[in-house]
Amino acid sequence: MRRWLPLLPALLITVGLFGGGLLLSVVQSLGYAPALGQTALNVDAYRALLADHTFWASLGLTAWVATISTALAAVFGTGLALLLHRAGRAAPGHAARLRFLAGLTLPIPHLVAAILTLLLLSQSGLLSRLTLAAGLTQGPQDFPALLYDPRGVGIILELVWKETPFIALNVLAVLSGLDPRLQDVARSLGAGRWSRFTGITLPLVRPALLSSGVLVFAYTLASFEVPALLGATSPTTLPVLAYRAFTDADLNARATAMALSVVIALLGGLLVWAYVRAQAAGRLR
C-alpha cells in the first residue's frame, strides 16, 4: 500500500477526470438526458449506430489509418533508431546532439503539424509549386491529391511524420544499452547483417517497439484534429463523426455522439488490455 501512496494524487486526477467523463458519456449514450425530458435508459443510440453504414465506413477508415500509420512509424522509427545508434557509435561526442535533432518534431502539436502538412502537400502547397517550377507539372491539377482523400493518405503522412521520432527514441534507448559484443560474436560466426538484425537486434528491441506501437495506435485511433483538417468529408474517422454529432443542432443527436465516444474508448481500452494481458503472460518477450 505504501508504494502506491506517491501515485495517489495522479491516480485520483486520472480516475476523477477520465473515469467521470467516461461514466457521463455512458449514461448519456443510454439516452439519459433530463434536460430533454429523457430519463429512461435504452440502447437506441447503439442500435442506430450498428444499422448505419456511415458508422461502419468510419470505423473501417479509423482502423485503416491507425494500423497503417502505426506500422509505417514502427518501420521508419526502427530504421531511424538503427541509423542514430550507428552514427552515435561512430562519433560518441555527437550522440546526444543526434538524439536531440531526432526528437525536434516531438514538441510540435499535431494541430500545427497538420497545418504544416497542409501548406506542404496540398495541390497549391510548397511541394506542388516546386514541381511546377522544376517543370515536372503544368499546374496544381497535375500534383497528386494527397489531402482530403477517402483513403486518408494525408492523415497517414502527418501521423507517420510525427510518431516516427517517438518510436525511434524508445528503440534507441534499448539499443544504447545492448552489449556490442553480441554483434561481434554473431559476426565472427558468419552471421550477415540481416541475420544479426532479425536474430539479435529485433528480439531485444521488440518490447520497446511493441509498447510504443500500442501507444501510437491508441493515439491515432482517437486522433481528432488531424483527420478534421486533412481528411475527407466522407467517410471520416470516428472522432470527427462523434464531434459532428455532438455539435449537431438537434440535441437528440447527443446520445449518438456519446455512443461513438464510448465505442472509441472501448476500442482503445481493449487494445491496452490485450497488450497488458499478453505481456503478463510472457507472450511478448
Side-chain angles (χ1 to χ4, degrees):
M1 180 65 186
R2 186 176 298 176
R3 64 179 180 176
W4 290 99
L5 287 179
L7 301 176
L8 195 57
L11 287 174
L12 288 176
I13 293 174
T14 302
V15 173
L17 293 179
F18 179 75
L22 183 60
L23 179 62
L24 185 61
S25 298
V26 171
V27 170
Q28 291 192 8
S29 71
L30 295 176
Y32 184 77
L36 301 178
Q38 301 170 358
T39 55
L41 299 183
N42 59 73
V43 293
D44 292 348
Y46 293 96
R47 194 176 292 132
L49 277 184
L50 296 178
D52 187 359
H53 70 89
T54 303
F55 166 74
W56 292 107
S58 295
L59 180 61
L61 179 64
T62 305
W64 161 259
V65 168
T67 302
I68 297 301
S69 300
T70 305
L72 291 178
V75 171
F76 293 143
T78 303
L80 180 59
L82 291 171
L83 290 175
L84 291 172
H85 181 59
R86 181 177 300 175
R89 290 183 64 184
H94 299 293
R97 193 175 304 169
L98 291 173
R99 290 193 188 95
F100 173 77
L101 292 175
L104 272 181
T105 61
L106 291 179
I108 299 176
H110 272 279
L111 178 62
V112 177
I115 295 174
L116 291 176
T117 304
L118 184 65
L119 296 175
L120 180 66
L121 297 181
S122 69
Q123 287 186 299
S124 59
L126 178 60
L127 198 55
S128 174
R129 293 173 188 272
L130 290 176
T131 57
L132 177 63
L136 299 176
T137 59
Q138 300 301 316
Q141 71 280 358
D142 294 336
F143 192 77
L146 300 174
L147 307 181
Y148 314 122
D149 73 300
R151 293 164 297 181
V153 174
I155 305 170
I156 292 172
L157 289 174
E158 194 278 347
L159 290 171
V160 171
W161 171 53
K162 275 287 293 169
E163 303 305 334
T164 292
F166 171 73
I167 292 181
L169 292 179
N170 280 283
V171 174
L172 181 61
V174 178
L175 288 175
S176 301
L178 296 183
D179 190 341
R181 289 176 296 183
L182 290 172
Q183 297 285 340
D184 297 335
V185 171
R187 190 182 296 107
S188 66
L189 293 175
R193 182 172 298 177
W194 179 249
S195 297
R196 296 199 304 274
F197 172 72
T198 57
I200 299 176
T201 305
L202 191 57
L204 292 174
V205 303
R206 188 172 58 182
L209 190 59
L210 287 174
S211 60
S212 53
V214 168
L215 291 176
V216 169
F217 188 92
Y219 173 79
T220 55
L221 194 69
S223 176
F224 166 75
E225 64 271 40
V226 180
L229 281 173
L230 304 179
T233 305
S234 179
T236 187
T237 60
L238 289 178
V240 177
L241 199 63
Y243 177 77
R244 289 178 182 170
F246 186 80
T247 56
D248 196 302
D250 183 5
L251 294 180
N252 290 311
R254 188 65 58 89
T256 302
M258 293 305 172
L260 285 166
S261 301
V262 172
V263 168
I264 296 169
L266 279 177
L267 291 175
L270 284 174
L271 172 69
V272 174
W273 176 80
Y275 172 74
V276 172
R277 287 294 302 268
Q279 192 178 42
R283 292 195 293 269
L284 300 180
R285 296 172 185 169

